[in-house]
Amino acid sequence: MNRDDFDRGPAAAQDLAQGFAEHVLAWGRRCGASAEALAALQRAARRLVLATAEGHVCIGLDALADGDEAAERLRAALLASGVVAAAAEGDSTCPLVLDDAGRLYLRRHFEWERRLAAALVARVCAPLAAIGSGEAAARIAALLGATDGSASADAAPDWQKLAVALALARRLTVISGGPGTGKTTTVALLLGCLLAREPGLRIALAAPTGKAAARMLEALRARAAALPEPLQALLPHEAHTIHRLLGVTPEPGRFRHHAGNPLALDVLVVDEASMLDLALATRLVEAMPPEARLVLLGDRDQLAAVEAGAVFAELSADPSLTGACRAHLAALTGIDAARIVPPAPRRPMPLADSVVWLTYSHRFGADSGIGRLAAGINAGAGADTLAWLEAGTDAGARWIADEAEAPSAATLAAIEAGYAPYLEALRALPPGGDPAPVFAAFEAFRVLCAVHDGGRGLVAVNERLGRIVRRAMGAAESGPGGRWYAGRAVIVLRNDYVMQLFNGDVGLCLPDAAGELRVVFPAAAGGWRTIAPARLPEHDDAFALTVHKSQGSEFDRVLLLLPARPVRVMTRELLYTAVTRARREVTLAGPPAVFTAACATPTRRDSGLADRMRELSWEASP
């Protein structure tokens, strides 16, 4: 993060940062800190809080000082303040912690990072027993189809098969891949292999949001069709949100399951793991039984969590495999060990033999519109990718040049055309009729917004689309009950375990057989749930979604509305995430400069997780 960035940002974050700085300043005065130490403390505390509001776990002293000498003076002043503890001090009650690499933390973030590192190292350092031989091993070999050992040395190995083989022998496996690279197919095969050996395994599926959990279960059922029927019958029949899996309690931030009361399971598969923040990842890994397998699925190029941390991006950064591991994988899959050559790591991590990257997309090739666009964004090739978009040579990726403060006529026309099939399905639906065609039409297209406010933001777009749907359905613009109308789309913003509605669930307001408006949600087990509008937990309109809220979802067609000018949230990861929500076609509407600036702005979140893990690995070594 650039030092100038710390002094910009939302007013709420500025107020919080100032309040915390004043709090620690008073603490420092009580400790008798010098004027120099107090000045350093106030500046560092304020900027640390602003950094955590941006998703960083810590802030480096090099970002707070000009040059090495100034950073050393700052370190000495902070440690002399009585408010900042050196990481080696252990159980100090100081609210701030400074590690040996010059990273300044809030105490809670440092403790979460250290706890997560400890839980991960314990899991990585305890591989499971080898598959061995016998009837179960033979069934696993048959499921893996170990037949491509004769392939040429130049042919790419089947990394899905290799990921399964790796997960069979590890308590922690991290599988990263973009849309269509076969993550769910890999999981179906893995679970089939595990159940072939131990039919009584307790398996759980989870994801950060209800929408992602439901999509994971649906995809797993489809991919599992290739397994023998007896194994299909043993697969999980439900997927949980992580909060529901851990067991929410009335006390905020506390869960029923933790290290002292671990989850009752043998295998946990977590999808959309890129959405895990540091705190939730720590609680999840700590709640795992020591002997259980944990499989994390995600896309290292997607947006990180809204809260502090980019855990999945860090854990998936290094797909290195040792020679012994490659030999084991070769024996289990029949793939020549010489062909099992993982990609170069983005940065070294102490997670050898635990990470696999799936890179071949079965949904769209690198030369397809969406595939080429996603690749250009990830490569940071903004100018070349924009020129290709503007040329309009691929119908799967469209560009609308639109630099106005509010969407242009061309952009609005594309948005309204995208929702035309939905309006048609709404008008054709009789009261109490089957909502499936309406949902299918609605889920086929979505507008994604990069920002919340302004003429090109989420609120304005949802208001406009709400008016269009009202008019199409002949609903009043105002008056009693005017907030609810047939066709209104809503997204749940808060988990409600009584109502069994979860953050990210999307429902449609439709008339029942008596003509009364009810909000209809897809049921986890199939079919539909209808709820009176007054009983909904906190919610918002869902004709348009922010890119963050769209994670875990996919649509046939997507229109991404870029802001009128470059803003902090417009990053390479946001662009990539938005583009890859589309299965068939994506349209980008906005100023060229905003697109190219976003391609050139990768997200970087400061963290010391790798160092925490190395410290623990070194302590555990003989």
Side-chain angles (χ1 to χ4, degrees):
M1 174 180 276
N2 185 291
R3 281 187 293 122
D4 293 339
D5 290 341
F6 291 119
D7 294 314
R8 298 193 295 268
Q14 295 284 345
D15 291 344
L16 180 63
Q18 186 60 36
F20 181 74
E22 291 171 0
H23 170 71
V24 297
L25 194 62
W27 189 321
R29 290 194 183 102
R30 291 194 298 271
C31 292
S34 67
E36 180 186 3
L38 290 174
L41 179 65
Q42 183 179 30
R43 182 175 74 256
R46 180 175 179 276
R47 291 187 172 181
L48 174 59
V49 172
L50 290 174
T52 59
E54 292 295 320
H56 298 271
V57 175
C58 53
I59 180 176
L61 295 185
D62 57 349
L64 296 172
D66 293 315
D68 293 341
E69 184 178 344
E72 283 304 312
R73 286 200 306 270
L74 179 58
R75 169 189 281 277
L78 290 173
L79 291 175
S81 69
V83 181
V84 180
E89 291 183 17
D91 295 331
S92 167
T93 58
C94 292
L96 301 177
V97 177
L98 185 61
D99 76 0
D100 292 342
R103 302 184 189 93
L104 184 65
Y105 292 81
L106 296 173
R107 163 69 60 181
R108 68 177 183 274
H109 285 158
F110 181 77
E111 292 301 333
W112 280 334
E113 189 173 88
R114 186 159 60 178
R115 285 165 51 188
L116 178 59
L120 290 169
V121 167
R123 195 158 288 280
V124 170
C125 292
L128 296 164
I131 299 300
S133 58
E135 183 181 348
R139 286 199 297 267
I140 289 173
L143 285 169
L144 287 177
T147 58
D148 65 349
S150 61
S152 70
D154 295 333
D158 187 338
W159 281 102
Q160 289 177 287
K161 209 175 286 186
L162 290 167
V164 172
L166 188 69
L168 288 171
R170 307 295 295 178
R171 298 184 194 274
L172 172 68
T173 309
V174 181
I175 301 174
S176 175
T181 53
K183 297 189 294 294
T184 309
T185 300
T186 301
V187 167
L189 184 56
L190 168 63
L191 297 184
C193 289
L194 291 171
L195 290 167
R197 187 169 61 170
E198 298 179 64
L201 280 177
R202 300 167 298 174
I203 299 171
L205 308 176
T209 67
K211 181 74 172 179
R215 195 167 68 84
M216 178 191 191
L217 183 62
E218 179 184 357
L220 180 62
R221 287 171 177 164
R223 304 301 185 274
L227 295 175
E229 288 188 10
L231 293 181
Q232 292 183 43
L234 296 174
L235 291 172
H237 298 292
E238 63 177 334
H240 309 270
T241 64
I242 294 173
H243 285 78
R244 182 184 171 202
L245 179 76
L246 293 176
V248 174
T249 67
E251 188 175 354
R254 298 283 184 175
F255 295 99
R256 189 169 65 253
H257 293 289
H258 44 76
N261 181 34
L263 294 159
L265 49 78
D266 302 303
V267 182
L268 174 61
V269 180
V270 179
D271 199 11
E272 298 292 345
S274 62
M275 298 168 69
L276 287 174
D277 60 71
L278 176 62
L280 188 57
T282 302
R283 288 162 174 150
L284 177 67
V285 179
E286 286 185 334
M288 288 291 295
E291 68 282 359
R293 285 179 175 84
L294 174 61
V295 180
L296 300 177
L297 307 175
D299 185 344
R300 66 188 186 278
D301 294 316
Q302 274 196 36
L303 283 167
V306 175
E307 303 298 331
V311 173
F312 187 82
E314 291 183 272
L315 296 185
S316 61
D318 187 351
S320 302
L321 299 172
T322 62
C325 182
R326 292 200 301 272
H328 169 76
L329 297 180
L332 197 58
T333 63
I335 299 172
D336 187 345
R339 295 172 52 220
I340 304 175
V341 182
R346 288 190 170 182
R347 56 187 174 277
M349 282 289 291
L351 273 176
D353 301 339
S354 298
V355 179
V356 172
W357 292 357
L358 303 179
T359 57
Y360 178 77
S361 177
H362 302 272
R363 183 176 305 158
F364 39 75
D367 58 347
S368 72
I370 296 173
R372 182 167 175 177
L373 178 56
I377 291 168
N378 275 341
D384 290 345
T385 305
L386 179 63
W388 170 77
L389 274 173
E390 290 175 329
T393 56
D394 194 309
R398 300 177 55 223
W399 172 256
I400 299 175
D402 181 358
E403 304 192 41
E405 290 295 323
S408 68
T411 300
L412 292 175
I415 291 174
E416 293 183 21
Y419 279 117
Y422 174 59
L423 296 179
E424 183 178 346
L426 277 174
R427 286 190 287 259
L429 180 71
D434 181 8
V438 180
F439 269 88
F442 182 70
E443 291 297 325
F445 175 77
R446 193 71 86 252
V447 177
L448 302 183
C449 296
V451 295
H452 190 270
D453 300 316
R456 306 174 71 87
L458 181 78
V459 174
V461 174
N462 271 323
E463 286 179 352
R464 181 181 183 89
L465 287 167
R467 290 194 297 271
I468 290 171
V469 175
R470 272 190 169 100
R471 285 197 298 269
M473 301 305 293
E477 292 283 339
S478 60
R483 184 164 174 260
W484 290 100
Y485 52 90
R488 185 187 180 199
V490 295
I491 182 169
V492 175
L493 301 178
R494 177 176 53 81
N495 294 336
D496 187 321
Y497 292 90
V498 175
M499 298 297 298
Q500 290 293 291
L501 291 173
F502 304 100
N503 182 20
D505 287 352
V506 172
L508 299 177
C509 186
L510 302 172
D512 63 13
E516 295 291 327
L517 292 177
R518 294 288 185 266
V519 185
V520 182
F521 292 88
W528 310 95
R529 299 178 60 215
T530 59
I531 296 172
R535 300 187 65 198
L536 285 186
E538 183 182 359
H539 57 275
D540 201 353
D541 289 329
F543 298 111
L545 299 175
T546 62
V547 178
H548 275 96
K549 282 292 184 183
S550 74
Q551 285 183 274
S553 299
E554 289 181 348
F555 313 97
D556 286 342
R557 293 169 293 121
V558 162
L559 186 146
L560 172 62
L561 187 60
L562 302 179
R565 58 189 59 83
V567 291
R568 295 159 65 88
V569 300
M570 277 305 307
T571 63
R572 184 181 300 172
E573 289 76 11
L574 184 138
L575 271 183
Y576 170 83
T577 301
V579 164
T580 55
R581 296 312 88 204
R583 297 188 190 95
R584 292 171 40 204
E585 178 187 305
V586 62
T587 299
L588 286 78
V594 172
F595 176 83
T596 54
C599 288
T601 310
T603 299
R604 183 179 67 83
R605 289 194 170 183
D606 292 335
S607 161
L609 181 60
D611 280 357
R612 302 290 86 79
M613 293 180 68
R614 290 190 189 98
E615 292 162 2
L616 291 164
S617 299
W618 180 82
E619 291 172 5
S621 63

